[in-house]
Amino acid sequence: MRESPSITVVGAGAIGGAIAFALDRAGYAPKLLARGATLAALNRDGLRVEGPLFAGVARVEASADPALFGVQDLVIGTLKAQDWPAALPSLNALVGPETVLLPVLNGVPWWYFDGVSGPLGGMAVDTVDPEGALMAALPARRVVGSVVYMGVTRLAPAVIDWSGGNRVILGEAAGPPQERTERVAEMLRTAGFRAGVSDDIRGEIWAKLLGNAACNPLSVIARARMDEIMGEAGLNAVALAAMHEVAAVAAAVGAPSPMSVEERHRMNAELGRFRTSMLQDFEAGRALELGALVDAVTEIGARLAVPTPMTAALGALARRAAALREGV
């Protein structure tokens, strides 16, 4: 086993479990912060991954108590965006003055406007960080931002299907790339990821959000896989309309996507029979990640007078679908 920094992955769902598995297989011995049935399965059976790129069982140290792990060199947070505020006490037990925090999440992160100039500079995104607690405790200077393209599904507690995709883009949340960013990228490369470093991580965030803000809620409303969205003219038109709205908001904040709407939409077609993470959450009865993926876009658009009617409609319809699922 290679000598390595202390690493904890917070969140043992599909993404967190997959990352922990790959790091463990490469000899980095990460720890997993987990709870409930997932923690029990990890301690009983280990962490199982199935798929063409990565497969096997890893015995990863897991606990629900972050105090057992102490302050870490690297904390990889893979919680859904809406779960980060409640996880602050656990994160505070793991994150020290020299800790690198790598949030792996979809949508607009809480740190997005921290240290940014312009009309929204320093603004907390209310739909992601309603009381500003995340920005206060975990400012951008502590963060290495990330955008992840992975096709992973949680089949059962501590059982993950990794169907494809291993691309990770990293970038400093505050300022130009630093040595720490490249160190984390190299670690991920050793673990089998296609990891690169960008000097514009905010632009990369919008590039992914172009597809997610439109297709994730649409997949819930229509109960449709990605190939079904791409293959039906009406759904395709709705997705493209929302994507153009997201692109307009990105341009207004000064971080236009490095790819066009059409280029990003073609990437959706490559996913084939893929069920979006939001559709997976809907089908499993979990909360939907609408705040960071949809509501944040409409909030920022409203602050900058950029209209987002289609995006807002998709968010409202997906939220209603979730309420009906709950029997509300």
Side-chain angles (χ1 to χ4, degrees):
M1 179 176 294
R2 69 178 69 248
E3 184 179 351
S4 65
S6 56
I7 305 170
T8 290
V9 178
V10 179
I15 292 287
I19 291 174
F21 177 89
L23 289 171
D24 186 77
R25 191 184 69 161
Y28 287 109
K31 296 174 283 291
L32 263 172
L33 195 66
R35 61 185 181 181
T38 299
L39 177 60
L42 286 167
N43 288 332
R44 183 183 64 247
D45 305 319
L47 174 62
R48 178 179 295 279
V49 169
E50 304 170 0
L53 294 178
F54 301 86
V57 177
R59 290 287 177 178
V60 179
E61 182 181 355
S63 175
D65 184 2
L68 295 178
F69 299 155
V71 172
Q72 301 289 289
D73 296 314
L74 172 63
V75 172
I76 303 174
T78 64
L79 303 163
K80 298 289 187 180
Q82 65 268 17
D83 296 329
W84 278 77
L88 258 181
S90 295
L91 291 162
N92 287 335
L94 297 167
V95 176
E98 304 301 322
T99 302
V100 176
L101 175 62
L102 177 64
V104 179
L105 44 75
N106 287 322
V108 179
W110 76 86
W111 51 262
Y112 188 91
F113 292 107
D114 188 17
V116 173
S117 59
L120 302 185
M123 181 193 86
V125 184
D126 292 340
T127 48
V128 176
D129 188 14
E131 298 179 358
L134 288 171
M135 190 183 291
L138 306 170
R141 68 178 183 275
R142 308 289 297 277
V143 172
V144 172
S146 73
V147 175
V148 172
Y149 294 92
M150 297 168 60
V152 291
T153 303
R154 182 179 181 268
L155 300 177
V159 181
I160 297 159
D161 174 39
W162 195 340
S163 59
N166 62 340
R167 184 176 176 224
V168 180
I169 304 169
L170 304 179
E172 287 288 334
Q178 297 182 25
E179 183 184 350
R180 67 179 186 177
T181 315
E182 183 55 45
R183 287 200 306 269
V184 175
E186 182 56 35
M187 184 184 308
L188 292 172
R189 292 183 198 115
T190 302
F193 291 91
R194 295 192 297 123
V197 176
S198 171
D199 59 3
D200 181 20
I201 194 62
R202 287 171 173 80
E204 299 291 349
I205 286 169
W206 285 105
K208 186 173 184 182
L209 193 51
L210 279 181
N212 283 357
C215 293
N216 279 33
L218 183 56
S219 72
V220 168
I221 298 162
R223 310 293 196 276
R225 301 185 310 263
M226 191 61 69
D227 61 318
E228 294 169 329
I229 291 173
M230 297 296 296
E232 185 173 323
L235 297 178
N236 206 5
V238 169
L240 279 170
M243 290 175 74
H244 279 289
E245 291 178 358
V246 178
V249 175
V253 298
S257 166
M259 66 178 70
S260 70
V261 167
E262 290 70 26
E263 289 172 327
R264 180 65 179 86
H265 200 43
R266 283 195 290 272
M267 288 180 63
N268 293 335
E270 296 171 2
L271 295 173
R273 295 173 62 83
F274 178 70
R275 290 156 54 248
T276 70
S277 60
M278 190 174 288
L279 180 57
Q280 293 178 42
D281 286 342
F282 178 84
E283 292 173 343
R286 295 188 290 264
L288 304 188
E289 202 171 14
L290 290 167
L293 289 178
V294 179
D295 300 339
V297 175
T298 60
E299 177 187 345
I300 295 167
R303 289 174 182 261
L304 296 173
V306 178
T308 56
M310 183 63 79
T311 307
L314 289 175
L317 290 169
R319 191 166 274 112
R320 179 59 179 167
L324 291 173
R325 178 198 63 185
E326 303 288 342
V328 176

